[in-house]
Amino acid sequence: MTRSEWDTKRDTEREPQRKTERRLEQTILELLDRRAPDATICPSDAARAVHEGDDDGWRALMEPARRAARKLVEAGKVEITQGGEPVDPAEARGPIRIRRTR
């Protein structure tokens, strides 16, 4: 397999993951739009909203939801907080909240 074929195969295999992360990004923003300007959401809110089912399969979307939040931080659209204070996403450990950038 040539490098070009390998890159195409890899990109094709990653497309469902990217699609899910884009849905999570959009869902995070939509959930925040429905709340007060200073309100926060948990990444699990987005994971539950995107999960198609009524079982606990949303848990598998937790890390993708956190990645989506980090990407939105990079875009300047949201902040990740802990204890009500903004934190660097790379430094955040444990439970986080997401809010619109102030």
Side-chain angles (χ1 to χ4, degrees):
M1 184 179 293
T2 68
R3 177 143 179 96
S4 176
E5 290 170 331
W6 174 254
D7 289 342
T8 300
K9 182 177 190 283
R10 184 191 65 218
D11 289 345
T12 301
E13 290 171 351
R14 288 191 44 145
E15 185 54 32
Q17 177 183 347
R18 282 193 289 255
K19 195 176 207 180
T20 298
E21 287 182 18
R22 284 192 301 269
R23 280 187 61 207
L24 285 162
E25 289 170 33
Q26 180 179 2
T27 299
I28 288 168
L29 296 175
E30 288 172 357
L31 289 170
L32 289 170
D33 283 345
R34 294 185 208 145
R35 289 175 170 75
D38 60 343
T40 65
I41 63 166
C42 179
S44 66
D45 295 328
R48 285 182 172 105
V50 168
H51 176 62
E52 296 172 357
D54 50 0
D55 57 8
D56 68 349
W58 61 269
R59 293 178 187 279
L61 295 174
M62 283 300 294
E63 187 50 39
R66 290 173 71 100
R67 275 194 308 270
R70 288 191 295 268
K71 190 169 180 184
L72 290 169
V73 167
E74 290 173 13
K77 296 181 179 184
V78 303
E79 296 175 319
I80 290 177
T81 65
Q82 288 186 309
E85 297 298 319
V87 294
D88 179 346
E91 303 291 321
R93 299 288 178 264
I96 62 170
R97 302 290 295 179
I98 307 164
R99 71 178 178 206
R100 286 280 186 181
T101 302
R102 294 183 173 179

